[in-house]
Amino acid sequence: MAFDLMPFMRDIKDINGPLTIISNRAPYELRKRAGKATYEKTVGGLVSVLDEIMCQDGGTWVAWGEAAGTVERVSVPVEDPKYTIKLIQLSDQEVRNYYQGFSNRVLWPLSHYFLDRCHFRTEYWKAYESVNYKFARAYASGARSQESIWIHDFHLTLLPSLIRGENRDLSIGFFWHIPFPSAPVFRVLPWREEVLRGLLGSDLIGFQLHAHAENFLQSVEDVLKVPVDREKLIIEYEGRTVRVGAFPVGIDYKRWNTLASNPTNEEKALQIRREVGGKYLLVGADRLDYTKGILERLLAYERFLEKYPEYHGNVCLLQIAVPSRTRVEEYMILKRSIDETIGRITGRFSTRKWVPVRYLYKAFPIEELVNYYSAADAAMITPLRDGMNLVAKEYVASRIGDNGCLILSEFAGAAGILKDAVIVNPYNIEDLADTIHRCLSMSESEKQSRMQRLRRAVKENDVHWWCQSFLQTLAQTSQGRKTEVAGINPPTSLT
Ligand code: F6P
């Protein structure tokens, strides 16, 4: 076990009652192993930490049971059950309209400032509403009147109010993982009022950055005409106090550091370098999503190859793209554009002995990702907009030799924390091309001092810190409850 969660969870449990987590995706997935179906934990530091809390303390996790068939409940971990997942069944039409539709073709593009990709369809909204009801009903069966609930992300904005109902004793926390857009953008949403009122059923609403919390407050003021207190970061709403705050999500630094320190990692990293050939290796790793700036990155790399021919034969960009939301049209179109662009760059610059881009369209377990991060001289993390971006932090945590260079978009939430990265505007193709050259020719001492500071920042605000600070603030905020829980700085200090 990475660290002992028990003391602070005990305090929180005493104040708020047992914890229920609600999210769109479940922490365990149904997989077939040797012909036998079993539930396995999904990859990701965030899920691991939340799973750790649930395993120590018991409780319930409510989530969409994708591929779970008719199974409604599963006790996990399967080999030694500690808590229960309530699985919600969605019909194909619900998946199309609630998940692919309202979540991924309305709230996702809107929150990432891609208004031209928003499809404001009534059938999407109706399904979103009814699936949120479905989650609320699933939660309510067997729920206790005094407990704390932690709801995750933009798929479930209506849930806090639906669950709250008349129940003032419940302690409800909501974490918004993606950017919250500025008020003039948010106001475009035809169902803006419903979404805000839904969220305001919470006691605490957490965002990645203080700027996102401010955008939310401004939207509440503009849309609902409800006064907000920007100093205290609170809203008095329907006789309750709703608090907002910034809690930048971290990674499991220790785990990445340990994986990177394993001697087999060094061997594998060297092997990757040998296989791609040449002197310099750049890495990009993203879900295949238009917000990630993969296409713009490729264009910048192409421009770099045009401008700096001295690197021909000596550099490779290894792009990992994890298949994502593959049934959503925008993602299919993007995939084609990326395939074409990579084809063009490869055809234009390759020689018999050298291929300038390697493209891996698949998901990797973290034990393999760490090999790529350790192998690369620089990581290109250049989203057009991102709530946080954990890949940037994973790259840093993998650089145990304090070397390597992080090229980071100013539009990633991570840029607010990783100030020693080389910060770029991913839309500025010319500048990004020059930045690649700058990073590859940067002195070792500059890389080292930057990386040391970056590693400190990632280590200090890791996923355990995130989880603890959110839950402790929830305990302090919950209606009518005063707590002596000590130790963690209040999130308002984060900007
Ligand atoms: O970062 C936002 C988010 O929705 C996460 O909650 C999720 O893990 C990720 O994007 C992947 O998206 P999806 O769940 O649609 O595959």
Side-chain angles (χ1 to χ4, degrees):
M1 186 172 46
F3 82 133
D4 188 11
L5 284 160
M6 279 314 257
F8 96 90
M9 279 310 292
R10 217 174 293 123
D11 285 342
I12 286 166
K13 203 172 164 186
D14 286 350
I15 299 157
N16 286 347
L19 180 67
T20 294
I21 293 177
I22 313 183
S23 62
N24 178 56
R25 287 217 178 263
Y28 287 71
E29 274 174 359
L30 187 65
R31 299 221 180 101
K32 283 235 163 82
R33 292 272 168 222
K36 208 174 148 236
T38 183
Y39 282 86
E40 288 183 3
K41 196 154 68 161
T42 56
V43 190
L46 209 135
V47 161
S48 301
V49 171
L50 296 176
D51 175 69
E52 205 174 301
I53 292 177
M54 299 301 275
C55 282
Q56 286 186 42
D57 227 39
T60 310
W61 192 316
V62 183
W64 170 27
E66 192 185 13
T70 53
V71 178
E72 286 181 356
R73 262 166 199 275
V74 53
S75 297
V76 289
V78 176
E79 56 293 351
D80 181 17
K82 293 283 194 290
Y83 71 97
T84 305
I85 309 180
K86 276 194 198 175
L87 295 165
I88 294 178
Q89 320 299 329
L90 299 182
S91 67
D92 289 350
Q93 199 179 20
E94 282 172 330
V95 173
R96 260 197 314 279
N97 291 334
Y98 146 78
Y99 171 68
Q100 291 158 13
F102 201 78
S103 300
N104 291 332
R105 300 187 88 195
V106 177
L107 288 179
W108 179 266
L110 182 83
S111 300
H112 290 84
Y113 296 81
F114 286 90
L115 284 172
D116 57 332
R117 290 173 189 249
C118 290
H119 299 264
F120 299 120
R121 297 193 186 152
T122 308
E123 67 270 27
Y124 288 173
W125 167 249
K126 292 277 170 220
Y128 185 80
E129 248 186 332
S130 77
V131 170
N132 270 250
Y133 269 102
K134 216 171 189 177
F135 270 80
R137 277 196 303 275
Y139 160 74
S141 66
R144 280 163 280 219
S145 62
Q146 242 227 346
E147 61 182 1
S148 48
I149 301 152
W150 193 0
I151 303 169
H152 289 265
D153 231 347
F154 62 102
H155 314 87
L156 301 171
T157 59
L158 310 182
L159 207 47
S161 284
L162 292 175
I163 289 177
R164 167 79 55 204
E166 294 305 309
N167 197 339
R168 307 185 84 78
D169 285 337
L170 284 177
S171 170
I172 305 178
F174 187 99
F175 193 79
W176 182 275
H177 288 257
I178 63 176
F180 196 91
S182 64
V185 171
F186 182 77
R187 277 167 53 196
V188 170
L189 179 68
W191 303 278
R192 58 202 184 175
E193 203 174 317
E194 290 87 336
V195 166
L196 292 177
R197 290 198 192 283
L199 289 168
L200 288 172
S202 316
D203 294 293
L204 172 65
I205 308 173
F207 297 93
Q208 300 279 16
L209 303 179
H210 187 70
H212 301 160
E214 279 188 343
N215 289 345
F216 177 76
L217 291 175
Q218 188 64 50
S219 300
V220 167
E221 204 171 55
D222 291 355
V223 174
L224 302 181
K225 311 290 178 224
V226 169
V228 302
D229 186 331
R230 284 193 177 71
E231 294 244 308
K232 293 190 184 140
L233 295 177
I234 56 171
I235 306 161
E236 295 298 339
Y237 181 72
E238 296 187 339
R240 289 182 301 107
T241 301
V242 181
R243 182 165 182 186
V244 303
F247 304 83
V249 174
I251 60 159
D252 191 342
Y253 177 87
K254 213 169 149 191
R255 187 161 177 220
W256 283 92
N257 208 50
T258 308
L259 284 171
S261 309
N262 189 323
T264 62
N265 176 52
E266 202 179 319
E267 267 169 46
K268 289 196 172 146
L270 281 172
Q271 195 184 334
I272 291 169
R273 289 190 70 101
R274 272 197 303 272
E275 281 163 8
V276 296
K279 197 168 163 201
Y280 302 105
L281 178 63
L282 299 159
V283 73
D286 317 77
R287 275 188 311 104
L288 196 144
D289 193 301
Y290 52 83
T291 61
K292 301 294 182 185
I294 303 172
L295 208 52
E296 291 71 11
R297 185 182 310 157
L298 289 169
L299 295 177
Y301 182 64
E302 185 175 28
R303 182 75 190 115
F304 161 78
L305 293 175
E306 278 169 6
K307 262 182 117 165
Y308 300 96
E310 64 271 27
Y311 284 95
H312 290 194
N314 260 328
V315 66
C316 180
L317 169 62
L318 192 148
Q319 177 63 51
I320 295 171
V322 179
S324 181
R325 305 174 188 170
T326 49
R327 302 178 85 161
V328 178
E329 196 185 321
E330 287 74 20
Y331 291 73
M332 297 178 195
I333 295 171
L334 175 69
K335 164 109 184 14
R336 279 201 295 276
S337 307
I338 290 175
D339 290 353
E340 276 167 24
T341 309
I342 289 177
R344 187 184 65 234
I345 297 173
T346 310
R348 230 183 123 185
F349 295 100
S350 292
T351 62
R352 269 175 54 213
K353 292 190 178 161
W354 171 61
V355 181
V357 198
R358 300 281 180 135
Y359 177 41
L360 304 173
Y361 178 61
K362 60 186 264 200
F364 288 90
I366 78 166
E367 291 77 9
E368 283 183 50
L369 276 178
V370 72
N371 307 151
Y372 289 105
Y373 298 154
S374 301
D377 298 290
M380 295 188 73
I381 315 294
T382 53
L384 303 180
R385 192 71 59 171
D386 214 334
M388 176 52 58
N389 196 298
L390 297 182
V391 175
K393 295 188 174 185
E394 291 164 3
Y395 177 72
V396 168
S398 306
R399 306 304 305 186
I400 51 171
D402 290 339
N403 49 18
C405 186
L406 174 64
I407 303 175
L408 181 62
S409 162
E410 66 183 89
F411 303 120
I417 288 114
L418 303 180
K419 297 194 176 10
D420 287 286
V422 177
I423 304 290
V424 291
N425 172 358
Y427 290 94
N428 188 339
I429 303 296
E430 199 67 28
D431 182 62
L432 190 46
D434 292 337
T435 303
I436 296 173
H437 167 62
R438 188 179 149 213
C439 282
L440 296 184
S441 53
M442 189 182 273
S443 73
E444 287 307 317
S445 63
E446 182 176 353
K447 280 193 239 173
Q448 190 183 41
S449 59
R450 281 175 182 266
M451 193 50 78
Q452 280 168 347
R453 289 192 294 268
L454 287 170
R455 286 174 64 76
R456 222 171 295 133
V458 175
K459 189 176 177 183
E460 273 166 19
N461 290 162
D462 71 354
V463 71
H464 302 295
W465 170 88
W466 171 75
C467 197
Q468 191 169 346
S469 60
F470 184 90
L471 287 175
Q472 286 193 339
T473 310
L474 176 62
Q476 290 163 343
T477 310
S478 300
Q479 181 201 14
R481 297 184 183 106
K482 292 277 175 278
T483 169
E484 297 300 323
V485 178
I488 292 272
N489 289 331
T492 45
S493 61
L494 297 160
T495 50

